[in-house]
C-alpha cells in the first residue's frame, strides 16, 4: 500500500484503533431492580370511621387527601435524596479526577480519538493532547502498542498506559465511580493476540464494554440491568458498524476525498512535504480504497443511505421520551456515537447527515452537554 494510503487509514477508521466483537464477559453481579412503589394510606376503618358511618363521601375524601399528602411527601423526600446522591457522586468524581494527570496521544481526525475526547470533556477531566505524526509516529515511540488513541494516566507516583478507546473509557469511568486503583482496573481488560478477517495478527481487548463495578455501584450508575445492557450494545455498535461508515462517505467522490484530506492535513501534524503528499496522493488513494471498503462492509451503492439508516436507527433507539439514551444525561453510548460522527463536521457527509436524518436535535443536545461540562484546556 502506498505511504499516503497508509496515512489515510491511520487517520480514519479503522487504522487508528481496533473495532472488536465482544466475546467473553466477566461473571459480575448485575444490579437488581428493587423499585419500591409509594403506597397511599390504607387499612381498615379506624375510630373516626366507626363514629361517622353515615358520611362515606367525607371519609373517602379525607382518605384520598391523606393518601395524596403522604404520596407527595415520600415523592419529595425521594427526589431530594436522589439529588443528594447525585451531588455526592459528583463530588466523589471531582475528588478522584483531581488526582489524575492525563495525556492523550491522538490523531485529531480519528473517530476513536474523538470518542475519548468526548468522554474526557463531558466528565470534566483536564488532559493534555499530543498530536501524533501519522508517518513517523515518533511521539509514541515509547509504546509497543502502535495505534492511537493512547492515554497515559499519572496518579501520584504511578504512571499507567491505557490502550484502545473503549478500554480507556471503561477503565476511567470505573475509576471515577468505584475509586479502585487504576492499575488494578486495567488488569480487567487484558490484551490478547488474535487473527482478523484478513489473516493479520491484531491485538484485542477483553471486557472492554464493561464497567467493573459492584452491585451497589452499578445500581448507582444504571438504575437497572436493562440500561447497562443497552449502553454496552450501542457502544459496540458504534465500534463495529457506525465507525466503518465514515471512510466510504467522506471519500465517496474525488472532490469529497480531496476536501477530507485538506481537513486532515490542516488539523493534523504534518511537515510541509508530508502534507502536500498526503493531501493529493492520499485523496486519490483513499477514493479508490473507499470502494473496496464499501464492498467489504456490504454497503449500498449510495453509501449515504447506509449512513442515514444508521443515524435514524440510533435516534429510534433513543426514542422520543428521553433526551439521551442515558436519560437526562448522556451515557457512554451517547458519547461514543457523538464522538464518531463529530469527525465529519465541516464535510459534505456531515451536512447531508444533518439534513436528511432526524439526528440533529440529539446531536446538538450532546454537544451542548459536553460544552457545559468541559473545562478549558
Amino acid at each position: 500500500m502506498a505511504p499516503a494510503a497508509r496515512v489515510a487509514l491511520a487517520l480514519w477508521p479503522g487504522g487508528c484503533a481496533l473495532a472488536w466483537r465482544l466475546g467473553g464477559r466477566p461473571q459480575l453481579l448485575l444490579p437488581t431492580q428493587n423499585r419500591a412503589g409509594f403506597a397511599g394510606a390504607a387499612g381498615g376503618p379506624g375510630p373516626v370511621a366507626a363514629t361517622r358511618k353515615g358520611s362515606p363521601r367525607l371519609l373517602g375524601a379525607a382518605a384520598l387527601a391523606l393518601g395524596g399528602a403522604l404520596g407527595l411527601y415520600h415523592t419529595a423526600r425521594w427526589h431530594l435524596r436522589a439529588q443528594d446522591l447525585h451531588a455526592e457522586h459528583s463530588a466523589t468524581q471531582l475528588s478522584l479526577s483531581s488526582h489524575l494527570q492525563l495525556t492523550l496521544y491522538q490523531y485529531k481526525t480519528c473517530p476513536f480519538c474523538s470518542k475519548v475526547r468526548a468522554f474526557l470533556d463531558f466528565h470534566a477531566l483536564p488532559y493534555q493532547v499530543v498530536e501524533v505524526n501519522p508517518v513517523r509516529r515518533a511521539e509514541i515511540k515509547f509504546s509497543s502498542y502502535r495505534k492511537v488513541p493512547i492515554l497515559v494516566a499519572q496518579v501520584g507516583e504511578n504512571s499507567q498506559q491505557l490502550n484502545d478507546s473503549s478500554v480507556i473509557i471503561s477503565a476511567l469511568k470505573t475509576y471515577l465511580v468505584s475509586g479502585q486503583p487504576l492499575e488494578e482496573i486495567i488488569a480487567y481488560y487484558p490484551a490478547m493476540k488474535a487473527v482478523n478477517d484478513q489473516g493479520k495478527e491484531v491485538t484485542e481487548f477483553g471486557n472492554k464494554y464493561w464497567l467493573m463495578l459492584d452491585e451497589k455501584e452499578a445500581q448507582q450508575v444504571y438504575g437497572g440491568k436493562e440500561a447497562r445492557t443497552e449502553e454496552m450494545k450501542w457502544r459496540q455498535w458504534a465500534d463495529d458498524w457506525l465507525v466503518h461508515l465514515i471512510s466510504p462517505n467522506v471519500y465517496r467522490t474525488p472532490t469529497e476525498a480531496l476536501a477530507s484530506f485538506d481537513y486532515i492535513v490542516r488539523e493534523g501534524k504534518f511537515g510541509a512535504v508530508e502534507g502536500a503528499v498526503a493531501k493529493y496522493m492520499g485523496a486519490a488513494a483513499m477514493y479508490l480504497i473507499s470502494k473496496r471498503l464499501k464492498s467489504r462492509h456490504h454497503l449500498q451503492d449510495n453509501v449515504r443511505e447506509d449512513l442515514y439508516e444508521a443515524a435514524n436507527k440510533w435516534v429510534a433507539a433513543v426514542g422520543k421520551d428521553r433526551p439521551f439514551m442515558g436519560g437526562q444525561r448522556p451515557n457512554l453510548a451517547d458519547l461514543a456515537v457523538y464522538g464518531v460522527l463529530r469527525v465529519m463536521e465541516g464535510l459534505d457527509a456531515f451536512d447531508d447527515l444533518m439534513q436528511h436524518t432526524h439526528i440533529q436535535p440529539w446531536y446538538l443536545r450532546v454537544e451542548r452537554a459536553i460544552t457545559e461540562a468541559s473545562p478549558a484546556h
Side-chain angles (χ1 to χ4, degrees):
M1 185 182 297
R6 287 200 296 270
V7 170
L9 288 174
L11 290 169
W12 295 94
C16 52
L18 173 69
W20 175 61
R21 295 192 175 275
L22 186 62
R25 295 173 175 168
Q27 298 300 313
L28 299 179
L29 288 174
L30 289 173
T32 56
Q33 298 184 67
N34 298 322
R35 295 178 177 266
F38 299 120
V48 175
T51 59
R52 301 202 179 184
K53 293 181 180 178
S55 306
R57 291 185 179 178
L58 181 61
L59 288 172
L64 182 61
L66 179 60
L70 285 171
L72 287 172
Y73 166 74
H74 285 297
T75 301
R77 188 174 69 172
W78 174 84
H79 181 69
L80 290 172
R81 179 57 181 155
Q83 287 183 324
D84 289 342
L85 287 173
H86 179 70
E88 291 171 7
H89 180 55
S90 298
T92 300
Q93 286 198 356
L94 182 62
S95 175
L96 288 170
S97 65
S98 67
H99 294 87
L100 281 175
Q101 295 181 16
L102 304 175
T103 303
L104 176 64
Y105 295 83
Q106 67 156 21
Y107 306 138
K108 185 175 181 180
T109 57
C110 162
F112 297 105
C113 301
S114 179
K115 278 171 48 185
V116 174
R117 293 198 309 273
F119 171 85
L120 295 174
D121 290 341
F122 179 70
H123 290 84
L125 295 173
Y127 59 98
Q128 293 183 328
V129 171
V130 176
E131 193 69 20
V132 176
N133 181 289
V135 178
R136 296 187 297 272
R137 292 186 289 180
E139 296 80 4
I140 55 173
K141 63 182 180 181
F142 63 87
S143 173
S144 59
Y145 182 80
R146 302 300 290 168
K147 296 179 181 291
V148 294
I150 293 173
L151 188 78
V152 175
Q154 186 81 25
V155 185
E157 299 296 322
N158 297 321
S159 179
Q160 301 293 327
Q161 179 178 327
L162 292 84
N163 306 322
D164 183 274
S165 62
S166 292
V167 170
I168 292 169
I169 291 168
S170 293
L172 285 182
K173 184 67 174 181
T174 298
Y175 173 78
L176 292 175
V177 174
S178 70
Q180 300 173 61
L182 194 56
E183 61 268 25
E184 294 181 11
I185 294 173
I186 295 172
Y188 295 138
Y189 306 99
M192 303 170 290
K193 296 295 183 182
V195 177
N196 65 14
D197 294 339
Q198 287 74 48
K200 181 180 178 181
E201 185 178 81
V202 293
T203 302
E204 299 180 350
F205 295 86
N207 311 319
K208 68 181 181 178
Y209 300 106
W210 278 87
L211 303 188
M212 300 304 175
L213 308 174
D214 63 25
E215 186 174 358
K216 181 180 178 181
E217 293 162 347
Q219 183 72 22
Q220 180 185 22
V221 172
Y222 295 109
K225 178 180 178 180
E226 291 81 3
R228 185 180 202 172
T229 302
E230 181 183 52
E231 180 186 79
M232 292 173 62
K233 169 187 173 181
W234 288 97
R235 287 180 67 192
Q236 183 172 354
W237 175 83
D239 284 354
D240 286 356
W241 178 244
L242 184 62
V243 77
H244 295 296
L245 300 179
I246 304 299
S247 289
N249 274 279
V250 300
Y251 301 126
R252 184 180 62 153
T253 66
T255 300
E256 287 181 282
L258 189 60
S260 297
F261 264 90
D262 181 66
Y263 168 62
I264 289 172
V265 171
R266 188 171 64 251
E267 297 293 337
K269 185 177 182 179
F270 291 88
V273 175
E274 290 172 340
V277 171
K279 180 175 178 179
Y280 294 102
M281 294 185 63
M286 283 310 299
Y287 168 69
L288 299 174
I289 291 173
S290 69
K291 307 306 176 185
R292 296 211 304 266
L293 294 174
K294 182 174 74 172
S295 176
R296 179 188 302 173
H297 298 295
H298 308 290
L299 304 183
Q300 300 177 53
D301 288 338
N302 182 0
V303 292
R304 284 287 199 273
E305 294 301 324
D306 294 284
L307 184 63
Y308 299 160
E309 288 177 10
N312 286 329
K313 182 178 182 179
W314 166 254
V315 172
V318 173
K320 298 180 179 180
D321 298 328
R322 53 184 179 175
F324 309 103
M325 181 166 282
Q328 296 305 307
R329 302 175 74 243
N331 67 7
L332 300 185
D334 287 294
L335 297 174
V337 173
Y338 172 84
V340 169
L341 296 178
R342 179 172 59 177
V343 298
M344 295 190 297
E345 283 190 12
L347 301 176
D348 288 349
F350 183 83
D351 295 340
D352 290 345
L353 178 68
M354 295 296 112
Q355 182 178 354
H356 296 290
T357 72
H358 304 295
I359 203 168
Q360 187 174 38
W362 167 87
Y363 187 90
L364 293 176
R365 285 194 296 268
V366 179
E367 183 176 63
R368 183 166 56 251
I370 292 175
T371 300
E372 292 173 353
S374 62
H377 47 251

